[in-house]
Amino acid sequence: RDTLETIGTDLQKHHPDFVGLTGNPDALQNAYDLYSIEHKVVFTDPQYGKVFAHGSHIYLLDAKGKFLTLLPPILSAERIVEIVQKYAINGS
């Protein structure tokens, strides 16, 4: 249900620097494959259509966009800061 017109507004509610992806099924599949995103239809809501279960990890990237690690959403903010600081201190 995300569209180009709606996804940015919704993400801005969480953080102004978030970037959302949407597109046709082939383009989305490329992103799923690139980022190893698991997703599956859990059920179909009669009014809104398919409801998906999907990963919700935070991808930590360096300044050049190189993948560093995944941060699971169950981590506390303090633990995430510790992990990010280690990457910042080590420079990679």
Side-chain angles (χ1 to χ4, degrees):
R1 292 179 292 274
D2 293 325
T3 66
L4 292 174
E5 295 77 30
T6 63
I7 197 166
T9 303
D10 291 340
L11 288 174
Q12 291 293 308
K13 294 175 187 174
H14 300 287
H15 194 281
D17 292 337
F18 278 177
V19 175
L21 301 176
T22 189
N24 67 48
D26 290 336
L28 289 173
Q29 189 60 55
N30 287 336
Y32 299 150
D33 294 344
L34 181 63
Y35 290 99
S36 300
I37 297 172
E38 297 178 2
H39 66 286
K40 66 178 182 176
V41 176
V42 181
F43 65 92
T44 301
D45 181 280
Q47 183 175 355
Y48 297 106
K50 296 177 182 176
V51 176
F52 291 88
H54 55 78
S56 58
H57 288 82
I58 299 167
Y59 290 76
L60 183 61
L61 309 174
D62 70 9
K64 295 179 183 175
K66 178 185 166 202
F67 172 79
L68 299 174
T69 194
L70 287 177
L71 301 168
I74 62 168
L75 295 178
S76 68
E78 294 79 14
R79 181 66 181 127
I80 290 174
V81 168
E82 290 173 8
I83 293 169
V84 171
Q85 283 179 331
K86 287 181 182 178
Y87 280 96
I89 291 169
N90 293 329
S92 60

